[in-house]
Amino acid sequence: YLQNLPYFGAVVGRVANQIGKGTFKLDGKEYHLAINYGPNSLHGGLKGFDKVLWTPQVLSNGVQFSRISLDGEEGYPGELKVCVTYTLDGGELVVNYRAQASQTTPVSLTNHAYFNLAGQ
């Protein structure tokens, strides 16, 4: 799983999708990110959120995972506290994301959920 990049079921971030040439400007400063997809940074870089250990907490109707992304991780500015909660509400799966940054930083979290509805 860690070697093939399917991202199946993974939390993707700090930024989902690609950042061209792994650079962006924020408040007049240019940041350089880890390059891991051609000339670009994809899904958070070489060690995105899909490749780190999260702290789990069992809830009455689900589970919560949290972690702290340190300032400078994969080139991103600011510390980022992230929490992802998976709960069952009746027959509905609810995925909730929360993130709190210590300074202005790009954040775009998602999940690469994969469901085989054909039953194979």
Side-chain angles (χ1 to χ4, degrees), residues 15-97:
V15 173
N17 211 338
Q18 298 179 48
I19 294 181
K21 299 182 182 164
T23 62
F24 67 92
K25 284 189 178 181
L26 188 62
D27 296 333
K29 183 176 178 184
E30 186 169 278
Y31 292 89
H32 299 273
L33 306 175
I35 303 297
N36 65 328
Y37 190 73
N40 305 316
S41 180
L42 175 68
H43 293 342
L46 296 170
K47 195 171 181 184
F49 287 1
D50 62 302
K51 293 180 182 65
V52 296
L53 292 178
W54 292 66
T55 302
Q57 179 183 351
V58 176
L59 306 174
S60 63
N61 62 339
V63 64
Q64 176 178 284
F65 295 96
S66 59
R67 75 174 305 261
I68 297 175
S69 175
L70 298 177
D71 181 23
E73 183 176 273
E74 296 297 304
Y76 289 95
E79 179 181 272
L80 186 69
K81 295 177 182 177
V82 183
C83 179
V84 182
T85 305
Y86 301 85
T87 55
L88 288 175
D89 185 9
E92 180 180 24
L93 173 64
V94 178
V95 182
N96 184 43
Y97 301 88

